[in-house]
């Protein structure tokens, strides 16, 4: 597993991390023993970055991570959590008092005195752009409640606004073969500013697993059922905003462009990790097999996988099938 510097924190994190939205059981039921097994498989395969949020299972994901890490002294894992989505999404709720309360709750859930990294969780643009936001986060660093902070964003414009603030450690943004705009607009600016990039939703909510057909269905409590058109939150979070059937066809075409023995999800993760400026990719996993496969995808970069050839296929499919339908802000 390759590791990259986490901005100016002095920490290194694995190029393939683990996203833990699904461990909160927000994608359908996940038993505690299965969630803990996913964490163990990831750590055993070299993953040193867990990404979570206080809203994932209303703290369940954080608490499970806390229990797991407590059982592994000297684990060397960086936990990046997120805050802000447990309240109405209006700027008035993003106050220093709420920041303090939210971080205190996450500290309890994770069982730590100081949070490694806290990211605002896709806040309103007014919050992203306000100097007061970063002053409040700086105060939490000064008090020792958090070691570092960043912001998870929906749009490239928001990412650029975040990068302009000198105290920011990282930006988390959707990057995958169906979401290319950040490669050209965000990653160069982040590299110039020394800001880390976490690529989230790297498999487009499973579209890039290569397992789905137009007939695939999901559980009623799975956001891939109830948020396809942005009914509950930003549409871009579900299938990266791509029409499901269009995405299935595009994924099938990308898979056909790969050499024998290379799966589409592994190729997608390796390709994202190879993009200049990407610090870590954070795919989710619901099973030990998925967690292991995700972690092992990083080895493709050392096994001669031609990321340039896959990049050409990605851009060709994107231009022909997806570009016209992608929201201009993404």
């Amino acid at each position: 597993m390759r590791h990259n510097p986490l901005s100016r924190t002095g920490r290194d994190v694995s190029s393939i991390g683990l996203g833990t939205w699904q461990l909160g059981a927000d994608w359908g039921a996940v038993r505690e023993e299965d969630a803990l097994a996913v964490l163990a498989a990831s750590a055993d395969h070299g993953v040193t970055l867990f990404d979570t949020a206080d809203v994932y299972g209303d703290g369940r994901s954080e608490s499970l991570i806390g229990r797991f890490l407590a059982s592994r002294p000297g684990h060397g894992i960086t936990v990046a959590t997120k805050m802000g989505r447990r309240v109405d999404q209006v700027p008035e709720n993003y106050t220093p008092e709420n920041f303090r309360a939210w971080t205190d709750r996450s500290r309890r859930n994770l069982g730590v005195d100081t949070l490694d990294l806290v990211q605002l969780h896709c806040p309103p643009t007014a919050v992203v752009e306000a100097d007061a936001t970063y002053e409040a986060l700086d105060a939490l660093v000064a008090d020792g409640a958090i070691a570092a902070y960043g912001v998870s964003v929906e749009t490239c414009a928001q990412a650029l606004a975040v990068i302009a603030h000198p105290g920011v450690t990282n930006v988390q943004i959707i990057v995958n073969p169906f979401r290319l705009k950040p490669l050209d607009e965000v990653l160069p600016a982040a590299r110039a500013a020394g800001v880390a990039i976490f690529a989230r939703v790297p498999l487009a909510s499973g579209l890039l697993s290569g397992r789905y057909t137009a007939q695939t269905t999901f559980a009623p409590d799975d956001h891939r059922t109830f948020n396809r058109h942005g009914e509950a939150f930003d549409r871009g979070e579900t299938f990266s905003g791509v029409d499901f059937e269009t995405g299935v066809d595009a994924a099938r075409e990308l898979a056909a462009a790969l050499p024998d023995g290379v799966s589409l999800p592994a190729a997608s993760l390796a390709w994202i990790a190879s993009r200049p400026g990407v610090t870590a990719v954070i795919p989710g996993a619901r099973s030990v097999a998925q967690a292991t496969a995700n972690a092992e995808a990083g080895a493709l970069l050392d096994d001669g996988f031609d990321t340039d050839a896959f990049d050409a296929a990605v851009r060709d499919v994107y231009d022909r099938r997806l570009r016209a339908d992608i929201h201009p802000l993404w």
Side-chain angles (χ1 to χ4, degrees), residues 126-216:
V127 174
V128 170
E129 295 177 346
D131 290 341
T133 298
Y134 304 92
E135 292 168 1
L137 292 167
D138 285 334
L140 290 173
V141 173
D143 291 346
I146 65 177
Y149 63 81
V151 185
S152 183
V153 301
E154 299 286 4
T155 70
C156 292
Q158 289 175 336
L160 295 173
V162 172
I163 291 167
H165 291 271
V168 169
T169 291
N170 80 305
V171 169
Q172 188 174 141
I173 189 168
I174 297 175
V175 179
N176 61 52
F178 294 166
R179 186 73 72 86
L180 302 188
K181 192 174 180 180
L183 300 182
D184 300 324
E185 295 195 2
V186 176
L187 268 59
R191 292 178 69 195
V195 172
I197 292 289
F198 292 174
R200 63 189 184 90
V201 198
L203 299 181
S205 307
L207 268 179
L208 289 161
S209 70
R211 296 183 292 107
Y212 298 163
T213 70
Q215 289 71 46
T216 301

Side-chain angles (χ1 to χ4, degrees), residues 7 12-13 25 76 94 109 120 164 171 174 192 213 215 217 244 255-256 268 285 311:
S7 187
D12 289 340
V13 294
Y94 284 79
N109 286 342
L120 295 183
V171 169
I174 297 175
T213 70
Q215 289 71 46
T217 60
F244 179 70
S268 298
D311 182 66

Side-chain angles (χ1 to χ4, degrees), residues 210-253:
R211 296 183 292 107
Y212 298 163
T213 70
Q215 289 71 46
T216 301
T217 60
F218 304 93
D221 59 350
D222 190 315
H223 75 104
R224 292 172 291 184
T225 296
F226 65 76
N227 192 59
R228 289 196 182 189
H229 303 286
E231 296 92 335
F233 41 82
D234 191 273
R235 181 184 175 189
E237 299 288 344
T238 302
F239 302 130
S240 295
V242 172
D243 172 76
F244 179 70
E245 292 187 8
T246 300
V248 167
D249 290 340
R252 184 181 301 115
E253 191 169 341

Side-chain angles (χ1 to χ4, degrees), residues 74-92:
H75 50 74
I77 292 171
T78 294
V79 178
T81 193
K82 298 185 289 294
M83 65 180 184
R85 300 297 295 190
R86 296 175 61 249
V87 297
D88 291 339
Q89 292 302 289
V90 294
E92 292 76 14

